[in-house]
Amino acid sequence: MNQQTTLLSNTSNTDELFDPAIDRRNSDSAKWNFYGEEILPLWVADMDFASPKPILDALHKRIDHGVFGYASDPVRLRELICDRLDSLYNWQIAPDQIVFLPGLVSGLNLVARASGEQGSGIMVNTPIYPPFLSAPTNQERVIQDVPLAMSQRKTAHDQSYLHYEMDFDAMDAAVEPNTRLFMLCNPHNPVGRAYDRAELEQLATFCLRHNLTICSDEIHSDLLLGETKHIPIAALNPEIAAASITLMAPSKTFNIPGLGCSLAIIPNSELRQRLEKTASGIVPHVNLLGFVAATAAYEYGESWLASLREYLTVNRNRVFDFFKKNLPDVEMTLPEATYLAWLDFRAYGITDPYQFFLDHAKIALGSGTSFGAPGKGYARLNFGTTHATLEQALERMADALTRA
Ligand SMILES: Cc1ncc(COP(=O)(O)O)c(C=O)c1O
């Protein structure tokens, strides 16, 4: 087989895996049931794909057992996570540094609640996943928002795209004596950045200088597009590891968020005990089927994941090419990771793109303003769907904008 044929056959295997449309309307899906049948949902961040077969097999086997008592500590899963972090990032952790959680939003709230005291400051960079903005308020902390700096960059083909990065001068100016925590989203939802080593090193220096704990939400770290690599900030050096809480999960990666199995990696025993104490008696244990799915995912899911990345990269490129060709006044990110595109419709004079596309294109996007003030005039598009559904959505959006 020559190289060309190998590439083609890989592509067609990938398409065979992800092209089949699965009707999710009657499957208790938040994404597909929230709106009426006429609306195509591209909002909440789950994908329209079935999970890898080894996960389904493991779940079937466990269900066939028929008894669903309390779960014991998932020793094998702890080992798999340690091995995975070592092989992917050369990051060595001990199994008991992992705290299992039913979800990452619980994790963000727990970390906020365990940081400082009532009124302590938590720094975030908007636009950002909404629970980064609600967690500090829920837990009676104060948000210190330092928006990401946005600029326009050009691809090798001279096409412009939106680039976001941390604004360290503004962060230095905004830090207060009461600031205790920096909440990082890496890869960053909604702007799709996978921060590079230099940026993460600068952030680590900033946090250590100001004595801030870092809570790094890395739920999207496996959803890498093209040649992107992920670097966990805690893997940079032991000093920053000791100041960090890293939140990860197989949920986005293998499309099992409904099974509720996530984890916090906390090398510093004092920080870990504080988090465990805060969770004690309030946060429920991870359910048995979540552990079963997570174990199968990390044991047998890697080749499926490689195919998923190819498929999502094709979708990312398709969204970008479509807007450049048909609607060049829409500015957008060229996401390095995640299956989320961040679109700027301000050139069309549309103040609320979410409502506009819901009304005129029958498409549900993520509303830009839910990601903070810099989201005004923007919307987030979830391209974790089949090529065919994506195509239908893009056509509907173009049609609505052309008529506007
Ligand atoms: C950055 C980020 N963190 C957390 C979550 C949700 O995590 P969970 O469903 O485990 O609460 C999402 C879901 O979109 C997300 O994008």
Side-chain angles (χ1 to χ4, degrees):
M1 219 188 254
N2 64 27
Q3 201 196 2
Q4 176 84 18
T5 331
T6 314
L7 279 177
L8 285 175
S9 62
N10 280 347
T11 305
S12 78
N13 282 344
T14 299
D15 290 348
E16 268 168 38
L17 260 181
F18 301 108
D19 269 349
I22 300 173
D23 182 2
R24 300 186 62 199
R25 288 258 181 225
N26 297 307
S27 67
D28 312 306
S29 157
K31 185 180 182 184
W32 284 83
N33 286 0
F34 189 79
Y35 297 96
E37 295 242 334
E38 71 288 5
I39 303 291
L40 204 50
L42 301 165
W43 60 294
V44 74
D46 69 27
M47 301 186 284
D48 293 331
F49 310 129
S51 296
K53 187 160 180 309
I55 296 185
L56 304 182
D57 290 345
L59 288 170
H60 281 301
K61 192 167 161 215
R62 189 62 193 77
I63 285 172
D64 285 344
H65 181 268
V67 184
F68 306 105
Y70 294 113
S72 59
D73 188 66
V75 177
R76 177 73 190 133
L77 179 56
R78 286 186 193 274
E79 282 168 12
L80 285 167
I81 293 165
C82 293
D83 292 350
R84 194 167 191 265
L85 297 178
D86 189 13
S87 79
L88 289 178
Y89 315 120
N90 192 22
W91 181 21
Q92 290 82 32
I93 62 154
D96 67 355
Q97 294 173 350
I98 301 166
V99 178
F100 289 103
L101 295 169
L104 253 65
V105 172
S106 306
L108 293 171
N109 277 272
L110 275 176
V111 178
R113 196 183 182 96
S115 296
E117 50 280 303
Q118 206 181 19
S120 292
I122 299 181
M123 190 172 282
V124 300
N125 300 135
T126 52
I128 200 155
Y129 177 59
F132 279 68
L133 301 173
S134 55
T137 316
N138 290 344
Q139 308 309 331
E140 301 179 328
R141 273 41 179 182
V142 177
I143 299 175
Q144 291 164 341
D145 175 21
V146 183
L148 292 170
M150 198 246 286
S151 58
Q152 278 203 333
R153 290 205 173 168
K154 297 267 189 192
T155 66
H157 298 105
D158 208 30
Q159 290 174 313
S160 73
Y161 67 96
L162 300 179
H163 176 81
Y164 286 82
E165 56 195 6
M166 284 177 259
D167 182 343
F168 286 103
D169 289 339
M171 282 159 57
D172 262 320
V175 77
E176 300 274 353
N178 75 346
T179 314
R180 292 283 173 275
L181 179 70
F182 184 87
M183 295 211 304
L184 171 67
C185 192
N186 181 32
H188 193 114
N189 172 3
V191 304
R193 281 301 316 286
Y195 293 108
D196 64 29
R197 185 172 293 278
E199 291 171 293
L200 293 172
E201 278 172 353
Q202 205 172 346
L203 178 63
T205 306
F206 167 81
C207 289
L208 291 173
R209 186 168 64 238
H210 295 291
N211 207 12
L212 310 184
T213 303
I214 299 186
C215 175
S216 185
D217 176 335
E218 305 189 8
I219 197 170
H220 293 281
S221 56
D222 290 315
L223 299 168
L224 304 172
L225 308 173
E227 301 304 312
T228 304
K229 300 271 179 276
H230 174 71
I231 304 172
I233 190 161
L236 289 180
N237 61 59
E239 209 185 346
I240 198 65
S244 68
I245 296 168
T246 305
L247 304 175
M248 289 184 161
S251 57
K252 298 279 167 211
T253 315
F254 299 99
N255 212 27
I256 48 173
L259 293 178
C261 177
S262 309
L263 48 129
I265 300 157
I266 318 176
N268 178 327
S269 60
E270 211 179 293
L271 272 183
R272 194 165 62 248
Q273 278 161 21
R274 206 180 321 146
L275 194 92
E276 283 172 333
K277 190 162 170 238
T278 309
S280 179
I282 300 176
V283 178
H285 299 297
V286 169
N287 83 79
L288 182 67
L289 295 180
F291 280 142
V292 169
T295 307
Y298 287 148
E299 191 135 33
Y300 305 112
E302 296 300 332
S303 69
W304 181 94
L305 174 56
S307 301
L308 174 74
R309 285 182 186 146
E310 278 179 35
Y311 197 88
L312 292 178
T313 303
V314 171
N315 275 2
R316 187 265 320 257
N317 295 346
R318 177 63 188 147
V319 175
F320 190 73
D321 292 345
F322 184 92
F323 280 106
K324 288 293 150 201
K325 183 156 170 250
N326 300 294
L327 301 161
D329 290 338
V330 177
E331 291 292 344
M332 66 171 287
T333 49
L334 192 49
E336 296 159 336
T338 75
Y339 42 76
L340 308 166
W342 184 238
L343 304 161
D344 174 2
F345 296 100
R346 288 174 304 165
Y348 287 85
I350 301 174
T351 42
D352 185 352
Y354 161 78
Q355 198 60 48
F356 174 85
F357 288 106
L358 197 60
D359 294 343
H360 300 283
K362 305 288 175 226
I363 300 276
L365 301 172
S367 165
T369 45
S370 65
F371 297 85
K376 193 163 186 330
Y378 290 71
R380 191 190 73 175
L381 181 153
N382 172 349
F383 56 82
T385 189
T386 64
H387 294 331
T389 302
L390 180 62
E391 214 54 42
Q392 205 188 337
L394 293 173
E395 292 296 342
R396 283 200 205 178
M397 289 175 73
D399 200 42
L401 276 181
T402 317
R403 282 186 277 112

